[in-house]
Amino acid sequence: AQSVAQPEDQVNVAEGNPLTVKCTYSVSGNPYLFWYVQYPNRGLQFLLKYITGDNLVKGSYGFEAEFNKSQTSFHLKKPSALVSDSALYFCAVRDIDPNFNKFYFGSGTKLNVKP
Amino acid sequence: DAGVTQSPTHLIKTRGQQVTLRCSPKSGHDTVSWYQQALGQGPQFIFQYYEEEERQRGNFPDRFSGHQFPNYSSELNVNALLLGDSALYLCASSLLAGGPWTEQFFGPGTRLTVL
């Protein structure tokens, strides 16, 4: 079965510092991995995805993610954090069955960026 | 393009009542999925509709039912509401033919409170 895990409930960083939000995955077959961000009382916004190819994926708002097959990880990164990046971040993996666009989400990581 | 829209924004119901939530997918999308996001948790898959049929279902009781209309819009119905049904209900749309690497687009959600 497909699953993702986000080991940190919360990550605190200072504005201007690099940030990393961790995600590990467990999949059967090819991993289709996604990152979403959720602001308070809002739905989820797509940030980036890994399909195949380059292990470093570029996404929206300056975010990127590093896919590591040997460590089964897909960590979200940003070189320089902004206060406006403070939000809830979710890692997700797609269902193995190509006929069903079902996602499995992690429990989320709250990112706090302090001025 | 209005993206995914959901109505209503908020709902307050009492135990035992029934509720209907509505979703209009992003233009050009044919698949609608519903997720339940309890407070402090990641979204959990309820079910998916494609071609007006329920194609896949998560671990939710039969009190949760849905419908998809010819214009691809969808409804989520919950009967005999329980306190534990209080959550943010998210609708997501996608194009099934887009392949397994296609991201889902989420609506802003409906906040359901059961008293």
Side-chain angles (χ1 to χ4, degrees), chain B residues 97-112:
Chain B
W101 46 83
T102 301
E103 63 269 25
Q104 294 190 349
F105 289 80
F106 284 80
T110 294
R111 174 71 64 186
L112 172 64

Side-chain angles (χ1 to χ4, degrees), chain A residues 9 32-34 36 38 40-46 48-51 88 90 94-108, chain B residues 10 31 33 35 37 40-45 48 55-58 88 90 93-96 99-109 111:
Chain A
D9 291 336
Y32 296 110
L33 298 161
F34 301 78
Y36 283 82
Q38 186 176 37
N41 301 313
R42 302 284 296 276
L44 276 68
Q45 296 179 29
F46 169 75
L48 51 80
K49 63 184 175 184
Y50 173 81
I51 305 168
L88 193 55
F90 290 98
R94 194 192 182 281
D95 192 275
I96 187 175
D97 190 329
N99 294 315
F100 301 116
N101 202 2
K102 172 182 177 180
F103 282 23
Y104 299 88
F105 285 88
S107 55
Chain B
H10 295 89
T31 302
S33 300
Y35 290 81
Q37 185 180 13
Q41 297 183 22
Q44 299 292 316
F45 177 80
Q48 180 183 93
R55 296 290 177 148
Q56 195 177 29
R57 191 179 184 89
L88 180 67
L90 296 167
S93 74
S94 58
L95 180 64
L96 194 64
W101 46 83
T102 301
E103 63 269 25
Q104 294 190 349
F105 289 80
F106 284 80
R111 174 71 64 186

Side-chain angles (χ1 to χ4, degrees), chain A residues 41-81:
Chain A
N41 301 313
R42 302 284 296 276
L44 276 68
Q45 296 179 29
F46 169 75
L47 281 179
L48 51 80
K49 63 184 175 184
Y50 173 81
I51 305 168
T52 187
D54 291 340
N55 290 338
L56 187 63
V57 179
K58 301 285 188 181
S60 305
Y61 314 119
F63 283 94
E64 57 191 26
E66 186 174 8
F67 173 76
N68 188 316
K69 187 174 183 178
S70 62
Q71 296 185 3
T72 61
S73 66
F74 188 54
H75 300 333
L76 181 70
K77 300 183 177 184
K78 188 173 183 181
S80 179

